[in-house]
Amino acid sequence: MAATARRRDGLDAQERMLKEAMAAIAEDGLAGLTMSVLAKRLGTSGGHILYYFGNKDRLLLEALRWSENALAQERRALLARRVRAERKLDLFLELYLPTGARDPRWTLWIELWARTGANEQLRAAQAEIDLGWQEDLQALLDKGCGRAASPPAWTPPRWPPRCSPCWTG
């Protein structure tokens, strides 16, 4: 991506665009997000946005990645917390599940997931995002069962990758 200058608010141009795109999706839905609407919200031009992202699909993918990177940091902090495994699993699921009907991350994920059949880049990005969640869930399960007061009656299998279609919709 192109180099960007930081503004006084500490955000670079791309991050401001991604943050505003997520806000616009939360407010008006994905159908209401056009380059011209986003440009107006940012006080810039659609061409300026296209300079950084090339097209709307790329903007949406990068917005999802930006959001998922923030969630990955929250997951790592959660995994490092000293709380009971059951509570940690509850908190993990709270991070994963939608925050409401207009959760922009879930809106983007569903939209991009629907487009993966025709786009290898989207398919690879989705697999990368899903893998992060699967690995963190597996780590949580492994650690939780390892700390149990009495050994569990079952050993947690390496199931998150196989179960992923169930918990990702």
Side-chain angles (χ1 to χ4, degrees), residues 2-163:
T4 60
R6 292 212 172 260
R7 291 173 33 128
R8 282 184 288 201
D9 61 8
L11 300 178
D12 65 34
Q14 291 168 321
E15 190 172 2
R16 281 187 12 263
M17 290 173 190
L18 297 172
K19 185 177 180 179
E20 194 62 36
M22 294 297 278
I25 292 167
E27 292 169 19
D28 303 320
L30 194 55
L33 180 67
T34 64
M35 291 299 193
S36 60
V37 165
L38 182 57
K40 186 174 182 176
R41 289 176 68 116
L42 289 162
T44 190
S45 70
H48 186 73
I49 297 168
L50 290 173
Y51 170 78
Y52 289 104
F53 300 103
N55 59 44
K56 185 177 176 181
D57 280 352
R58 180 70 182 201
L59 169 71
L60 297 177
L61 174 58
E62 292 306 320
L64 182 60
R65 280 186 173 147
W66 177 76
S67 172
E68 287 293 333
N69 286 337
L71 282 171
Q73 291 175 5
E74 289 185 55
R75 288 195 319 265
R76 286 186 193 90
L78 169 63
L79 291 174
R81 286 182 61 186
R82 297 179 57 97
V83 296
R84 289 187 18 238
E86 295 85 4
R87 178 66 181 138
K88 206 176 272 193
L89 182 57
D90 285 344
L91 294 169
F92 184 91
L93 291 173
E94 284 178 25
L95 281 177
Y96 180 76
L97 295 172
T99 57
R102 289 198 174 237
D103 184 326
R105 179 179 60 94
W106 273 79
T107 300
L108 277 175
W109 189 90
I110 290 167
E111 180 66 25
L112 294 177
W113 177 79
R115 297 178 187 191
T116 59
N119 188 318
E120 179 57 37
Q121 182 184 19
L122 292 179
R123 211 172 14 260
Q126 179 192 20
E128 178 186 331
I129 289 167
D130 289 349
L131 182 61
W133 283 97
Q134 292 167 8
E135 289 174 346
D136 288 347
L137 177 59
Q138 189 67 55
L140 191 153
L141 294 172
D142 289 346
K143 194 170 189 177
C145 288
R147 286 190 175 175
S150 59
W154 59 277
T155 302
R158 304 296 297 173
W159 64 268
R162 292 188 303 243
C163 186

